[in-house]
Amino acid sequence: MMTNKNSVLLLYTGGTIGMSENLCPMAFEQVQKLLPELEQTGVNITNFSFDPPIDSSDVDTDLWEKIARMIENNYDKFDGFVVLHGTDTMAYTASALSFMLENLAKPIILTGSQLRIGELRTDAKENLLNAIMLACGKNEFGEAMVPEVCVYFGDELYRGNRTTKKNAEHFSAFRSYNYPLLAKAGVHIKYFTSNIRYPDKSAKLCVRTKTDKNIAILKIFPGITQNAVSAVFSTTNLKAVVLESFGSGNVPQENTWFLNELKKAIDKKIIIVNKTQCNSGSVEMGRYPASQKLKDIGVISAYDCTTEAIVTKLMCLLGENKDLEKVNNLLKTDIAGEMTISDSE
């Protein structure tokens, strides 16, 4: 049973959940009027609205920093945090926050909706109400049930940096392909505690918000040309490239120019991270000759990271560290539960 001792800070950034009939962003006060059930939760809810609300396609690193600092400044005042966010870039924001907020001991639940809150069949009400309950969830010792940055959508709670948006139409918009659920909401909320990361109780929250956006994504496809690859690596101030490869991390090997382009980039201190194009599964560098050569020239494995996680991890690591060797080592390290490192590598 929830009591008034539970408190949540609700950060309203924008998104479909707060759209009006003409698809313009509403103020959060208007959203509240359409959800009177908020008063029945037994939770002290304080809200902060970003002004103006932000379409998720316009999300940038500045928003991540603002959310992280808002949580830092209010960390001791609330039991948990809910971030209302557009779905298109929600997985990126969740991933970024997981790297910015080290030693997190309280829940941060990102949610939104596929239909605006004023629609008759909207999924917004259930998503928001359950997100608030999850943000307050505590065990018998008064500790947070899920002290992680999470995404809640369609009755399922995921680790934020393991999610990707899978569907633009269905209410089950997100999926965690390489990591199991943290909780599931039905008649009762069922927590899968063996899947949840718990912090060192002696460690304090550490917030790091510096980012570096000088990265690019290079997706391999049959027939890719040298001009296209060269253009990516010729980007001014480029520091890192996420190489989206085939299968378990394979790239064309018949054309020697391709590996030569990668080697030239690595020699110029550009970091290259190998991320499979597949939603499920992991990069296994060296499993096939096509990926062994990448390993030999210094390409780093992303293991089973999502694109959202590896992109934001690179941004955060490069923003906080000038030592590229340290960045390379941290890329091979599971920092916030974002990847499973195989024994073979």
Side-chain angles (χ1 to χ4, degrees):
M1 180 72 67
M2 288 293 175
T3 71
N4 288 329
K5 293 182 180 180
N6 292 299
S7 60
V8 166
L9 177 61
L10 193 154
L11 303 178
Y12 173 60
T13 69
T16 299
I17 194 169
M19 290 289 186
S20 63
E21 289 186 19
N22 60 1
L23 299 183
C24 292
M26 294 190 296
F28 187 72
E29 288 71 23
Q30 294 173 279
V31 175
Q32 281 182 304
K33 289 179 181 179
L34 294 168
L35 191 56
E37 293 90 341
L38 285 175
E39 296 184 5
Q40 301 173 27
T41 60
V43 178
N44 289 327
I45 302 171
T46 301
N47 74 78
F48 175 85
S49 299
F50 286 82
D51 188 19
I54 300 166
D55 187 296
S56 66
S57 60
D58 290 323
V59 164
D60 201 350
T61 56
D62 289 344
L63 178 68
W64 303 341
E65 179 176 354
K66 289 175 182 176
I67 294 173
R69 291 301 178 194
M70 183 68 65
I71 291 169
E72 179 184 30
N73 294 335
N74 292 279
Y75 192 69
D76 295 328
K77 302 175 185 176
F78 297 93
D79 297 302
F81 304 85
V82 172
V83 180
L84 291 182
H85 196 289
T87 58
D88 287 347
T89 55
M90 187 182 294
Y92 283 97
T93 297
S95 297
L97 291 175
S98 76
F99 300 122
M100 290 179 168
L101 302 169
E102 185 180 352
N103 301 322
L104 183 67
K106 297 184 179 184
I108 300 173
I109 315 295
L110 281 81
T111 195
S113 64
Q114 294 286 67
L115 290 176
R116 60 186 184 83
I117 200 165
E119 294 277 356
L120 180 63
R121 296 177 49 252
T122 186
D123 55 329
K125 293 184 178 183
E126 181 181 348
N127 283 348
L128 177 51
L129 290 170
N130 277 323
I132 289 170
M133 296 303 181
L134 286 160
C136 290
K138 296 178 183 177
N139 61 23
E140 63 270 28
F141 305 108
E143 299 166 333
M145 289 295 296
V146 190
E148 295 199 34
V149 179
C150 306
V151 167
Y152 177 79
F153 230 89
D155 77 15
E156 295 183 328
L157 185 71
Y158 309 100
R159 177 171 294 161
N161 59 31
R162 291 286 193 151
T163 60
T164 192
K165 186 177 179 181
K166 68 166 185 174
N167 199 299
E169 181 177 350
H170 295 168
F171 287 152
S172 298
F174 288 85
R175 179 77 181 273
S176 174
Y177 289 96
N178 288 320
Y179 198 79
L181 296 178
L182 304 186
K184 189 171 182 65
V187 175
H188 303 285
I189 295 177
K190 183 176 182 180
Y191 294 93
F192 305 107
T193 55
S194 61
N195 301 335
I196 299 171
R197 281 173 65 96
Y198 294 97
D200 179 350
K201 293 181 181 180
S202 64
K204 293 184 178 181
L205 178 71
C206 180
V207 181
R208 297 186 176 93
T209 60
K210 293 180 182 178
T211 56
D212 191 322
K213 298 185 284 188
N214 290 298
I215 69 171
I217 298 175
L218 175 59
K219 186 168 186 173
I220 304 304
F221 57 89
I224 192 170
T225 65
Q226 185 172 1
N227 286 340
V229 174
S230 179
V232 171
F233 286 115
S234 298
T235 302
T236 304
N237 297 325
L238 184 68
K239 292 185 179 178
V241 171
V242 176
L243 179 68
E244 291 200 344
S245 57
F246 301 129
S248 58
N250 304 314
V251 296
Q253 53 181 331
E254 291 296 324
N255 297 320
T256 56
W257 62 261
F258 185 81
L259 286 174
N260 289 338
E261 289 288 343
L262 301 188
K263 183 64 167 61
K264 284 193 296 183
I266 291 171
D267 288 343
K268 291 192 293 185
K269 306 301 181 184
I270 294 174
I271 296 170
I272 303 178
V273 184
N274 186 6
K275 157 72 178 81
T276 175
Q277 294 178 20
C278 302
N279 287 323
S280 182
S282 178
V283 166
E284 297 181 60
M285 302 271 278
R287 179 177 180 182
Y288 297 103
S291 63
Q292 179 61 48
K293 292 181 180 179
L294 294 178
K295 189 175 182 179
D296 292 341
I297 64 173
V299 173
I300 298 169
S301 174
Y303 298 97
D304 59 351
C305 270
T306 63
T307 296
E308 294 90 340
I310 197 62
V311 164
T312 54
K313 184 175 182 178
L314 276 166
M315 286 182 175
C316 292
L317 290 179
L318 289 169
E320 291 287 340
N321 300 281
K322 302 304 179 186
D323 184 347
L324 289 184
E325 184 176 350
K326 183 177 180 180
V327 173
N328 282 331
N329 289 332
L330 288 172
L331 284 169
K332 302 171 187 176
T333 304
D334 178 24
I335 296 175
E338 73 279 4
M339 64 185 186
T340 306
I341 300 175
S342 62
D343 295 332
S344 60
E345 294 199 54

